[in-house]
Amino acid sequence: MKLPVWSMELSRDTNAPFEAVVEKLIDGERYGQWHPRHQRVSPQLVMKDGERAEIEHRDKPVPWVEEWSTYVVQRLGDRVVLVYVGRFKGLPVLLLMAYWRMVSARLWERFVENL
């Protein structure tokens, strides 16, 4: 039986410094300050250059559910574009996806407020 997979993407731009944003996203011990579902994670820096960074982590937020998160930070002129892509797999996702979408709607706003 194939398990359902659901994904969501949230994006925003900010004038926050690129390095400060990347540093905050790598600090997995303090995700609870701004992330609505994760208190602590083990993020990995996948790629970073002067204009773009990608950070990923995997988690099991509830039993029988896997989550793959990707955070992309990219400079665009004097702004920094923030993109979150979350993919979720497991039977409980069918019950939880609407709730997770609702509580994650202000993910980037909370992140920027905590910079």
Side-chain angles (χ1 to χ4, degrees):
M1 175 172 118
K2 249 185 154 178
L3 294 176
V5 176
W6 176 69
S7 64
M8 75 171 157
E9 182 173 322
L10 303 168
S11 61
R12 179 186 180 180
D13 69 323
T14 181
N15 62 352
F18 177 82
E19 292 299 327
V21 170
V22 172
E23 191 174 308
K24 181 94 172 175
L25 284 171
I26 292 174
D27 186 4
E29 291 293 313
R30 293 189 177 89
Y31 266 47
Q33 294 175 353
W34 58 272
H35 201 288
R37 291 178 288 107
H38 298 294
Q39 296 303 306
R40 291 185 178 155
V41 297
S42 299
Q44 296 179 347
L45 184 62
V46 176
M47 187 276 294
K48 182 181 177 206
D49 61 26
E51 299 296 315
R52 182 179 169 96
E54 289 184 27
I55 296 140
E56 294 181 347
H57 76 83
R58 293 181 80 157
D59 193 25
K60 290 194 169 213
V62 296
W64 305 295
V65 173
E66 292 180 67
E67 177 181 355
W68 298 272
S69 295
T70 303
Y71 298 91
V72 178
V73 182
Q74 184 166 352
R75 283 184 217 234
L76 194 60
D78 63 342
R79 306 291 289 172
V80 174
V81 177
L82 310 168
V83 178
Y84 162 77
V85 178
R87 292 183 315 276
F88 307 88
K89 181 179 181 180
L91 288 175
V93 172
L94 294 171
L95 300 172
L96 296 169
M97 63 185 172
Y99 173 72
W100 283 344
R101 178 79 171 150
M102 186 177 60
V103 299
S104 297
R106 292 195 64 247
L107 174 99
W108 286 126
E109 285 80 3
R110 285 189 299 271
F111 177 82
V112 170
E113 289 168 3
N114 281 287
L115 273 176

